[in-house]
């Protein structure tokens, strides 16, 4: 769909809880607590510079004693009907005055909104959200009747960032923070990039969502059902502005103009200035978060640098983005044995705020709590990563094997090749690929069965023998890939996968009539569950700020961080690694010939190349697993 130069279009959708809980296309909100439970008032709270922010205050009816305030600050619109998401039931039961505020420049809040300016750090003053939250808390404790002088702040996604930013300069009345899936550095990881590789479809569609219209959350209207086809036919990234946005979306313009890790991006890396814990903090991460999986761990580690009281905590579970505020009892086709989201909200989140804001219960003695997949058990740790996790190398072999034995002398010079063609990139999920929002298949693609690309000629697979015992990994996972390309630039995608046995699940169909429609596709049998996936862009291997071309045919080490994990590969399962050089349209296409700015590459810059992965004793590609008490 080609849009007029003066407009960018335009489905409109309300967002209640960050991008995890959206109003449906039909306009029906998620199940909510009745607004009759609260007295609702809307005020415009003044900031220090005179800008006023639209704020909704929900006070429990019949309140008999002073209550703490729970604040959420959002760019997505306040729920003006006074309804609370059902996911806040456990918190509401403890008694809070709930406050939801639109950040400056969004909906009825005054001022200007810019994603990049919103995250820009001013030395000693934090970000705009640090200062606006301070002023908001100050106003609330002085103007909201019957509050007890204690405030907590929480939020998911962008709302998680506005919560986390308070740590750079918290108000004295702020007693508890729960940042949940907050971005931390938009060039290094999270929403917009993965170590400098542009997250094309998300960056483009989210930029439209947030900056096309002040008073609405908007969606770009695609005129092709399969967005894989749409982005491929659009051609080089420059066409997206030339043909569709016409320079109307500031954050997309900034992404195009700043491909490297320059002062523009470094100035927004707000978490780099966080070096201490001054307010008890509950960081929340999803192991399968498709938007902000890196930020909470980064924030946790930055605050961990100085945490004398031991109040910097992290929780992680088998969740996509914000799924801990929905129902989460399945991971792909695998039954987790409980609603892990409900457990988090009732047994972790609610007690955290109850202790610090009500003075009820006990202070947590753990530093990290995870839901460990595979074993499907909640685990608590006094330190993260666990001290008893030991790094073990799992090696890739030229015959397609994967084992803990390094390449033998007989494998000297071993390698595997594949051809990467930018005109036919590897899709990142099963086609047709729906738009990111609204609805669609976006939330769960990171746990999708990887058999859909398993036998493509441009995807290398390495598989272990069936495990003869459970293998537990808890901690940071990373790959060290030795690879080369015949081009002068390249990407490599590394996927670590848990392959279920073919008899993992008994059929539920009538043996006389055969399987029901769709039963095979929903089965756990042979399912290739991604456990960790990441990409590295070759031009930034030496210096993220100053890209350099690769030397064609020259092998080199590609370090690929795969983030923190807590997972058990069960006995009888196999471990798989997949390697490819495109991941489309999640990641923009690398031309595979060096140009100064990929966003400005021309059609003629895109070249087919031969990629080589080395599996020899001298160049032993491997993945490093943090293994707990294992033999092999």
């Amino acid at each position: 769909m080609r849009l007029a130069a003066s407009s960018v279009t335009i489905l409109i959708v309300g967002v209640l809880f960050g991008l995890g809980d959206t109003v449906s296309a039909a306009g029906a909100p998620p199940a909510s607590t009745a607004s009759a439970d609260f007295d609702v008032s809307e005020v415009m709270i003044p900031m220090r510079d005179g800008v006023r922010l639209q704020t909704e205050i929900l006070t429990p009816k019949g309140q008999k004693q002073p209550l703490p305030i729970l604040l959420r600050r959002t760019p997505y619109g306040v729920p003006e009907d006074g309804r609370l998401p059902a996911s806040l039931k456990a918190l509401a039961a403890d008694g809070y005055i709930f406050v939801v505020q639109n950040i400056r420049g969004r909906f009825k809040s005054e001022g200007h909104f810019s994603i990049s300016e919103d995250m820009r750090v001013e030395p000693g003053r934090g970000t705009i959200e640090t200062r606006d939250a301070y002023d908001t808390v100050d106003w609330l404790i002085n103007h909201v009747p019957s509050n007890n002088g204690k405030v907590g702040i929480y939020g998911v996604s962008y709302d998680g960032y506005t919560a986390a930013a308070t740590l750079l300069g918290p108000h004295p009345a702020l007693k508890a923070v729960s940042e949940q899936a907050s971005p931390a550095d938009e060039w290094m990881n999270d929403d917009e990039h993965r170590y400098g590789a542009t997250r094309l479809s998300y960056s483009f569609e989210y930029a439209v969502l947030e900056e096309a219209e002040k008073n609405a959350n908007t969606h770009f209207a695609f005129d092709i059902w399969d967005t894989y086809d749409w982005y491929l036919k659009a051609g080089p990234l420059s066409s997206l502005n030339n043909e569709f946005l016409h320079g109307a979306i500031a954050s997309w313009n900034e992404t195009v103009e700043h491909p490297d890790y320059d002062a523009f991006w470094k100035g927004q890396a707000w978490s780099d200035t966080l070096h201490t814990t001054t307010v008890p903090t509950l960081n929340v991460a999803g192991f399968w978060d498709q938007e902000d999986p890196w930020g909470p761990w980064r924030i946790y580690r930055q605050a961990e640098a100085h945490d004398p009281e031991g109040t910097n905590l992290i929780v992680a579970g088998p969740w996509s983005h914000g799924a801990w505020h929905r129902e989460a009892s399945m991971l792909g086709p695998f039954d987790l044995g409980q609603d892990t989201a409900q457990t988090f909200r009732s047994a972790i989140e609610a007690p955290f705020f109850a202790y610090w804001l009500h003075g009820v219960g006990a202070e947590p003695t753990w530093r990290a709590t995870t839901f460990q997949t595979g074993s499907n058990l909640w685990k608590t740790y006094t330190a993260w990563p666990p001290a008893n996790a030991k790094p073990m190398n799992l090696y890739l072999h030229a015959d397609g094997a994967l084992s803990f034995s390094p390449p033998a002398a007989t494998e000297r010079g071993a390698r595997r090749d594949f051809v990467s063609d930018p005109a036919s990139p590897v899709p990142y999920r099963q086609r047709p690929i729906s738009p990111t929002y609204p609805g669609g298949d976006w939330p769960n693609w990171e746990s999708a069965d990887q058999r859909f690309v398993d036998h493509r000629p441009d995807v290398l697979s390495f598989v272990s023998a069936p495990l003869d015992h459970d293998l537990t990994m808890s901690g940071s996972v990373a790959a060290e890939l030795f690879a080369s390309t015949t081009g002068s630039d390249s990407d490599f995608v590394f996927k670590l996968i848990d392959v279920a046995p073919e008899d993992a699940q008994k059929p539920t169909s009538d043996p006389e009539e055969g399987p029901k429609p769709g039963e095979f596709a929903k089965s756990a049998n042979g399912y290739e569950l991604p456990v960790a996936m990441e990409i590295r862009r070759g031009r930034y291997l030496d210096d993220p700020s100053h890209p350099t071309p690769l030397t064609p045919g020259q092998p080199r080490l590609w370090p690929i961080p795969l983030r923190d994990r807590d997972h058990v590969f069960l006995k009888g399962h196999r471990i798989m690694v997949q390697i490819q050089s495109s991941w489309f349209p999640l990641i923009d296409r690398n031309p595979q010939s060096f140009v100064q700015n990929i966003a400005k590459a021309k059609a003629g810059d895109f070249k087919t190349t031969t990629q080589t992965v080395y599996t020899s004793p001298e160049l032993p590609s491997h993945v490093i697993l943090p293994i707990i008490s294992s033999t092999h």
Side-chain angles (χ1 to χ4, degrees):
M1 179 176 186
R2 302 198 176 198
L3 303 174
S6 60
S7 66
V8 180
T9 264
I10 284 93
L11 300 171
I12 296 179
V13 66
V15 181
L16 296 181
F17 216 169
L19 293 186
D21 287 317
T22 62
V23 171
S24 70
S32 304
T33 60
S35 57
D37 294 340
F38 296 90
D39 291 320
V40 182
S41 61
E42 185 174 298
V43 297
M44 298 293 287
I45 297 181
M47 302 293 102
R48 65 190 67 179
D49 60 357
V51 168
R52 299 181 305 159
L53 304 185
Q54 179 191 11
T55 308
E56 185 178 78
I57 302 170
L58 290 80
T59 303
K61 288 188 174 180
Q63 178 183 346
K64 294 183 174 60
Q65 59 186 16
L67 292 176
I69 294 170
L70 266 182
L71 171 63
R72 179 168 65 89
R73 306 185 62 251
T74 182
Y76 301 124
V78 300
E80 296 181 358
D81 60 359
R83 295 162 70 92
L84 285 179
S87 60
L88 296 185
K89 182 178 179 180
L91 288 171
D94 289 336
Y96 294 96
I97 300 167
F98 289 94
V99 177
V100 187
Q101 181 181 75
N102 279 321
I103 63 176
R104 60 174 60 212
R106 293 296 290 156
F107 295 86
K108 295 179 184 178
S109 287
E110 298 170 352
H112 173 69
F113 175 73
S114 161
I115 294 174
S116 59
E117 288 302 314
D118 202 46
M119 295 188 181
R120 188 169 302 283
V121 177
E122 292 188 24
R125 302 182 68 217
T127 71
I128 291 173
E129 301 309 338
T130 307
R131 302 187 293 275
D132 284 355
Y134 188 104
D135 295 348
T136 297
V137 170
D138 195 70
W139 190 94
L140 291 172
I141 61 172
N142 286 295
H143 292 86
V144 174
S146 300
N147 78 82
N148 72 354
K150 295 181 179 180
V151 179
I153 188 168
Y154 68 100
V156 177
S157 192
Y158 207 117
D159 303 5
Y161 157 65
T162 63
T166 63
L167 297 171
L168 301 181
H171 191 282
L174 187 66
K175 302 300 183 182
V177 173
S178 182
E179 70 79 13
Q180 305 180 6
S182 168
D185 184 329
E186 290 286 12
W187 192 94
M188 280 296 175
N189 216 287
D190 291 323
D191 299 285
E192 295 193 31
H193 297 84
R194 289 290 191 270
Y195 302 104
T198 301
R199 296 232 303 170
L200 169 59
S201 54
Y202 184 83
S203 293
F204 177 78
E205 294 168 49
Y206 186 79
V208 172
L209 178 91
E210 280 304 279
E211 293 192 348
E213 169 58 46
K214 178 183 188 296
N215 294 305
N217 301 296
T218 61
H219 295 290
F220 185 82
F222 292 92
D223 61 351
I224 294 178
W225 186 253
D226 184 355
T227 63
Y228 176 98
D229 268 350
W230 189 90
Y231 282 104
L232 194 57
K233 290 176 179 178
L237 263 61
S238 57
S239 70
L240 298 181
N241 248 338
N242 294 341
E243 301 292 332
F244 304 104
L245 301 186
H246 310 288
I249 304 298
S251 61
W252 178 252
N253 298 339
E254 293 162 348
T255 296
V256 169
E257 293 298 327
H258 297 275
D260 311 323
Y261 197 48
D262 59 10
F264 173 81
W265 293 110
K266 292 176 182 177
Q268 298 174 59
W270 67 268
S271 64
D272 287 354
T273 61
L274 177 64
H275 301 298
T276 185
T277 295
T278 56
V279 181
T281 304
L282 181 68
N283 303 280
V284 183
F287 288 127
W288 281 266
D289 188 329
Q290 78 284 5
E291 293 177 24
D292 300 294
W294 185 80
W297 295 99
R298 173 68 175 171
I299 295 165
Y300 171 75
R301 286 192 166 94
Q302 287 293 99
E304 193 73 0
H306 184 65
D307 180 25
E309 302 299 322
T311 58
N312 178 44
L313 313 174
I314 191 160
V315 177
W319 304 312
S320 62
H321 192 61
W324 48 94
H325 283 284
R326 301 189 294 275
E327 193 269 343
S329 59
M330 301 291 292
L331 179 63
F334 301 100
D335 191 338
L336 300 173
Q338 61 176 279
D339 182 352
T340 61
Q342 179 60 45
T343 301
F344 162 75
R345 296 194 304 266
S346 61
I348 300 174
E349 182 183 47
F352 171 80
F353 282 115
Y355 179 77
W356 293 109
L357 301 182
H358 282 286
V360 174
E363 181 177 351
T365 57
W366 47 267
R367 305 303 290 275
T369 291
T370 68
F371 186 87
Q372 184 183 76
T373 46
S375 68
N376 291 347
L377 297 172
W378 285 99
K379 298 284 186 175
T380 58
Y381 301 94
T382 56
W384 186 269
N388 60 337
K390 306 301 180 185
M392 293 176 60
N393 292 346
L394 186 63
Y395 293 94
L396 285 60
H397 295 268
D399 62 357
L402 197 62
S403 77
F404 288 103
S405 300
T410 54
E411 296 177 85
R412 186 169 300 279
R415 51 189 276 179
R416 289 182 71 185
D417 299 335
F418 66 95
V419 174
S420 175
D421 182 2
S424 181
V426 181
Y428 80 97
R429 57 182 165 104
Q430 190 81 38
R431 296 177 59 190
I433 296 176
S434 59
T436 304
Y437 299 108
D441 306 310
W442 168 255
N444 298 312
W445 73 266
E446 282 211 350
S447 58
D449 193 340
Q450 296 300 293
R451 282 179 289 192
F452 78 102
V453 296
D454 196 7
H455 296 290
R456 279 183 61 120
D458 51 1
V459 177
L460 297 183
S461 294
F462 301 82
V463 189
S464 75
L467 297 174
D468 59 9
H469 64 280
D470 291 354
L471 190 70
T472 301
M473 65 173 191
S474 303
S476 297
V477 183
E480 293 190 343
L481 182 69
F482 291 93
S484 66
T485 176
T486 57
S488 52
D489 198 4
S490 183
D491 294 342
F492 278 99
V493 177
F494 193 101
K495 305 182 201 174
L496 178 66
I497 297 167
D498 185 341
V499 183
E502 291 295 339
D503 61 353
Q505 179 179 335
K506 293 182 179 180
T508 57
S509 59
D510 187 321
E512 299 281 338
E513 298 180 1
K516 298 175 183 177
E519 183 177 349
F520 270 47
K522 297 176 182 177
S523 169
N525 293 332
Y527 197 94
E528 295 179 2
L529 175 70
V531 176
M533 302 188 288
E534 194 54 273
I535 187 169
R536 286 300 303 269
R537 178 150 284 178
R539 61 177 44 225
Y540 297 122
L541 288 175
D542 294 323
D543 185 346
S545 301
H546 301 94
T548 53
L550 300 174
T551 301
Q554 178 65 49
R556 64 167 304 161
L557 173 64
W558 295 64
I560 305 178
L562 294 166
R563 294 193 294 275
D564 292 84
R565 311 288 169 176
D566 201 355
H567 180 76
V568 178
F569 295 94
L570 297 175
K571 179 180 179 181
H573 286 226
R574 293 177 296 157
I575 305 175
M576 172 183 276
V577 163
Q578 287 181 349
I579 296 173
Q580 58 203 55
S581 284
S582 52
W583 216 9
F584 191 74
L586 176 73
I587 301 295
D588 65 324
R589 293 179 302 149
N590 192 318
Q592 302 185 148
S593 63
F594 184 84
V595 294
Q596 201 61 43
N597 184 346
I598 288 178
K600 297 182 179 181
K602 298 178 174 59
D605 295 323
F606 290 81
K607 307 292 185 182
T608 297
T609 60
T610 298
Q611 314 290 78
T612 299
V613 172
Y614 298 88
T615 59
S616 63
E618 58 274 20
L619 297 172
S621 296
H622 57 277
V623 57
I624 306 167
L625 305 181
I627 300 300
I628 293 181
S629 60
S630 172
T631 58
H632 63 278

